[in-house]
Amino acid sequence: MGETETLSVADDEGSPFDVFSRLCPSRGTLEHVTGRWGSLTLGALYESGARFNELRRRVDGVSEKMLSQTLHALERDGLVLREAQFTNPPRVDYELTDLGRAVATRLLELIQLVEGRMPEVLEARARYDAARAD
Amino acid sequence: MGETETLSVADDEGSPFDVFSRLCPSRGTLEHVTGRWGSLTLGALYESGARFNELRRRVDGVSEKMLSQTLHALERDGLVLREAQFTNPPRVDYELTDLGRAVATRLLELIQLVEGRMPEVLEARARYDAARAD
């Protein structure tokens, strides 16, 4: 960042990683954990591990393909653990790693904030739309 | 949710809103604040308000069109305030509302966690890729 920037929030940590920088790998990880399905998948695994189909039910609306892609990205980033059990039929369980749990905790705090403040959001939307309908 | 679900994390708050439910409007708001550019835009406004072009510089890599769409969605949800000043040339400033600041605070906590744990993420990626290169 240029020396006139003031994003000390990101710099305070002394981390060499910076999501505001396009080429930093942390941006990809932030996208995996905050993406359309990544955040819901991590949140859905917070209470307990789950099998694939159980997860699909918890994350209402996700397709099989998208859930599969999401889980692979989260597994690759070390946030989700995939455990295949060689039973017949084979059974695959997913659960959060310690890192995944730390991330999911922050995500759920965000989710609870958003859910709790939705009345304000809906009022703001109504005002915004009314001002433009004049 | 069905009665066998155990997502009490979301239910504990007593909020009627539930991002895990496909049709709940809170899911759209979560997507606005966690989307590819929404999270970075809110984070970039945390330290101080900014004009459009200043924001474009802070959020490295965002296109004019995407930043404009992102700001409109955040403004409609009541997270960002847009203030047009009728100077010549006209000047438009963006800043966080109180609600936007609350959301941005949670987001920055998440961002700092991700940035700080990137060494673990990169190790996990290397292990994952090595296991599949065999």
Side-chain angles (χ1 to χ4, degrees):
Chain A
M1 289 191 293
E3 56 187 28
T4 59
E5 298 290 338
T6 54
L7 285 169
S8 60
V9 179
D11 296 342
D12 277 343
E13 294 281 290
S15 167
F17 297 98
D18 177 12
V19 296
F20 292 97
S21 177
R22 179 175 17 176
L23 299 176
C24 181
S26 64
R27 186 178 280 194
T29 299
L30 183 69
E31 286 174 5
H32 294 158
V33 306
T34 60
R36 188 183 184 89
W37 301 117
S39 56
L40 295 175
T41 301
L42 289 168
L45 284 170
Y46 182 81
E47 291 270 336
S48 69
R51 281 188 276 181
F52 189 85
N53 285 328
E54 166 70 9
L55 260 184
R56 265 202 79 183
R57 283 190 295 273
R58 290 188 196 174
V59 182
D60 184 26
V62 71
S63 70
E64 197 172 312
K65 183 181 168 191
M66 287 311 303
L67 181 57
S68 177
Q69 284 182 9
T70 299
L71 285 166
H72 275 115
L74 296 175
E75 186 192 355
R76 182 167 181 263
D77 280 352
L79 301 164
V80 163
L81 199 64
R82 180 181 186 279
E83 284 198 284
Q85 309 201 4
F86 297 99
T87 51
N88 187 3
R91 174 180 164 160
V92 184
D93 286 286
Y94 295 91
E95 59 183 52
L96 296 178
T97 62
D98 287 346
L99 178 55
R101 178 157 295 273
V103 170
T105 301
R106 298 280 164 100
L107 274 171
L108 283 167
E109 287 167 356
L110 177 66
I111 285 172
Q112 288 179 353
L113 176 72
V114 168
E115 288 176 344
R117 306 285 288 260
M118 279 308 291
E120 283 170 70
V121 170
L122 296 180
E123 279 169 33
R125 282 189 196 169
R127 274 196 308 273
Y128 183 96
D129 293 345
R132 275 147 194 85
D134 290 346
Chain B
M1 291 194 290
E3 57 188 25
T4 58
E5 298 290 338
T6 54
L7 285 168
S8 60
V9 179
D11 296 343
D12 277 344
E13 294 279 290
S15 166
F17 297 99
D18 177 12
V19 296
F20 291 97
S21 177
R22 176 174 22 175
L23 300 175
C24 181
S26 64
R27 184 178 282 195
T29 299
L30 183 69
E31 286 174 5
H32 294 157
V33 307
T34 60
R36 187 182 185 90
W37 301 116
S39 56
L40 295 175
T41 301
L42 288 169
L45 284 170
Y46 183 81
E47 292 270 336
S48 69
R51 281 187 276 181
F52 189 86
N53 285 329
E54 166 70 9
L55 260 184
R56 267 202 75 183
R57 283 191 294 274
R58 290 191 196 172
V59 182
D60 184 27
V62 71
S63 70
E64 196 171 314
K65 183 181 168 192
M66 286 312 302
L67 181 57
S68 176
Q69 284 182 9
T70 299
L71 285 166
H72 275 115
L74 296 175
E75 187 192 355
R76 182 167 180 262
D77 280 353
L79 302 164
V80 163
L81 199 64
R82 180 181 186 278
E83 285 198 284
Q85 307 200 6
F86 297 100
T87 51
N88 187 1
R91 173 179 166 160
V92 183
D93 286 285
Y94 295 90
E95 60 182 52
L96 296 178
T97 62
D98 288 346
L99 178 55
R101 177 156 297 273
V103 170
T105 300
R106 298 283 164 98
L107 274 170
L108 283 167
E109 287 167 355
L110 177 65
I111 284 171
Q112 288 179 354
L113 176 70
V114 167
E115 288 176 345
R117 305 286 287 261
M118 278 309 291
E120 283 169 72
V121 170
L122 297 179
E123 279 169 33
R125 282 189 196 170
R127 274 197 307 275
Y128 182 96
D129 293 345
R132 275 147 195 83
D134 289 345

